[in-house]
Structures are given as structure tokens and as C-alpha cells.
Amino acid sequence: MLLTYRWSVPMFIAYAVVAVLLALALSASAFFTFTRNPQITGSMAKLGVPESWFPWLAAAKAAGAIGLLMGLAVPALGVAAAIGVTLYFLGALVTHLRAKDYVVAPVVALALLAAAALVLRIASA
């Protein structure tokens, strides 16, 4: 029990930091997509993302942000949200690569951050 406690508290703190940072990034991106910020929507259109998908993608980002934050209290929800966000950014990476857009550092960073949230939430449960 003591070993679990020693490892789970630092892992939870690390999850909390990663989840909050990722939730902030997702919230901002969702807001800019919902409000049709030209920089965001122009980038998505350049990648071949249909405009009809914008509200759904923004909703997915917002749901991921909410899920990560709610995962602070409900571990299973945090795990599910981290899986969803990781898959979202892996899909974004594939979309960039299919469009032959190799400026993928932000997408890779966010995918890795989401994967880290997943590992940390599992380790802290």
C-alpha cells in the first residue's frame, strides 16, 4: 500500500499538470474552430478537411478538454478522454502527412502530450 501511495501521488500531480495544459490547448483550438478563426480554418481547409467537419472536430476537442479535467476526479473518464485525444491527434498527423504537409511538430507534440496524459492517469489510478 505504501509503495502504491508513493508512486500514485506524484503521478497524479503530473497527470493534473499535463491534463490542464492539454485542456487549455484543446479549449483554445476548439474556440477558434467554433468561431471560424481564419488562421485555423484556413489551415484545416488547406489540408483538405471539409468545412462541414469543423463543428464536429471542434466539439471533439472541447469534449476532450472537459474529459481530461473531469478525469481529475473520475479516473476512468480521464483515461477515456486521453485515449480519445491521442487518437484525435494521430488522425490529425495522418491528415497532415496525406496532404504532404510536413510541418507536424505541433501535432506530434500534442499527440505525445495526450499519450503522456494517458500513461500518467493509468499510473495514478
Side-chain angles (χ1 to χ4, degrees):
M1 185 69 156
L2 182 60
L3 181 63
T4 303
Y5 175 77
R6 282 191 326 158
W7 284 103
S8 65
V9 171
M11 294 296 180
F12 178 77
I13 293 169
Y15 170 75
V17 170
V18 169
V20 168
L21 291 174
L22 189 55
L24 286 172
L26 287 166
S27 298
S29 182
F31 174 78
F32 288 132
T33 305
F34 274 130
T35 59
R36 305 289 175 125
N37 178 284
Q39 187 174 5
I40 300 295
T41 56
S43 174
M44 292 169 73
K46 183 181 90 171
L47 295 172
V49 177
E51 193 171 326
S52 62
W53 289 16
F54 292 0
W56 296 105
L57 294 173
K61 290 184 264 191
I66 292 167
L68 288 168
L69 294 177
M70 290 182 68
L72 293 168
V74 183
L77 188 54
V79 169
I83 290 170
V85 173
T86 301
L87 292 174
Y88 178 92
F89 284 112
L90 289 177
L93 178 61
V94 169
T95 301
H96 277 267
L97 296 177
R98 288 182 64 178
K100 295 181 178 25
D101 177 15
Y102 301 111
V103 181
V104 294
V107 174
V108 170
L110 290 168
L112 290 173
L113 200 57
L118 175 60
V119 169
L120 291 167
R121 193 59 186 122
I122 290 170
S124 67

